[in-house]
Amino acid sequence: ARIYAEQCRNYWCSDECLQKCTRMKHSEYFKKTIPCLLDKLTLDHKPKFGLMTPQHMLEHLIWVTKATAKDKGPAPEELTKSQQGFMSFIDKGAIFKYRPSDKTEEDLPPLKYASFEEAKQNVPTAIERLSSFLEDRSSNVFNPMMGDLTPDGLATFHFMHYKWHLEEQYGLSVED
């Protein structure tokens, strides 16, 4: 279902961000769906799986989005097996899957933001950085963990990553 900004109480993407997002693959999701889902997310939400609190999940999304929206130079001539595997994951549609681990709540990183609301307010900045980074980009993006991705591949990763955490892990829906 398509959801439009007018239906969101807390629509936070600036006009400039909207223009940049329209150049991104999956722009509808970044521009319209994410704000609506975040508007529904509360500190009291419990994940369907995993250990991350809502604030940990938001901080994780912010960090990964900002960390990958940087030019890290050209890819090396030979990519590692891990980088090749990640690129294959992206080529196959970046379908995430929950893998239980032995980690406990003590393994969660310290929170960066003073509050859940502050973390929520910083998501648009991360998305805007990504959209600016990908704007009119035609060359591949090298990331030491992910390998050598096309701009569409990086956008697909983020689309699936946000969907995974917001919709699958936290069960948020624009329909509710």
Side-chain angles (χ1 to χ4, degrees):
R2 290 195 145 155
I3 194 85
Y4 293 94
E6 297 80 40
Q7 295 172 297
C8 297
R9 242 183 333 111
N10 188 20
Y11 190 67
W12 40 251
C13 203
S14 68
D15 288 341
E16 183 180 341
C17 178
L18 286 175
Q19 290 169 353
K20 291 175 183 174
C21 286
T22 58
R23 296 182 185 110
M24 289 174 57
K25 189 173 184 180
H26 312 298
S27 63
E28 188 87 5
Y29 192 80
F30 286 98
K31 291 187 311 182
K32 298 175 180 173
T33 305
I34 290 173
C36 292
L37 296 176
L38 289 178
D39 192 44
K40 295 175 181 202
L41 182 66
T42 68
L43 189 55
D44 296 328
H45 270 93
K46 302 291 181 220
K48 292 180 177 181
F49 54 84
L51 301 171
M52 282 194 263
T53 66
Q55 186 170 344
H56 278 101
M57 182 265 297
L58 291 176
E59 292 192 16
H60 165 75
L61 287 171
I62 292 165
W63 181 81
V64 171
T65 304
K66 287 182 174 182
T68 58
K70 293 180 183 173
D71 203 336
K72 308 226 182 199
E77 287 195 30
E78 294 235 2
L79 295 173
T80 67
K81 193 171 198 157
S82 176
Q83 291 165 340
Q84 291 171 7
F86 198 90
M87 290 167 57
S88 175
F89 168 73
I90 298 297
D91 289 342
K92 292 176 184 169
I95 307 301
F96 286 78
K97 181 179 169 183
Y98 176 62
R99 292 177 180 91
S101 75
D102 294 333
K103 292 187 177 188
T104 67
E105 290 178 9
E106 289 78 40
D107 295 311
L108 289 170
L111 294 169
K112 177 180 177 184
Y113 296 101
S115 69
F116 167 75
E117 288 303 322
E118 184 183 351
K120 194 190 271 194
Q121 291 168 0
N122 276 276
V123 173
T125 304
I127 292 173
E128 193 154 341
R129 181 184 286 183
L130 176 67
S131 62
S132 292
F133 179 71
L134 292 175
E135 182 180 23
D136 299 326
R137 187 176 187 95
S138 58
S139 61
N140 281 9
V141 179
F142 174 70
N143 179 283
M145 185 191 100
M146 299 177 171
D148 195 30
L149 301 177
T150 66
D152 279 351
L154 186 58
T156 296
F157 165 74
H158 285 290
F159 167 72
M160 295 302 288
H161 191 222
Y162 275 81
K163 278 182 76 69
W164 173 252
H165 287 292
L166 295 171
E167 296 180 34
E168 299 298 323
Q169 184 179 28
Y170 274 90
L172 300 171
S173 168
V174 294
E175 305 291 321
D176 297 335

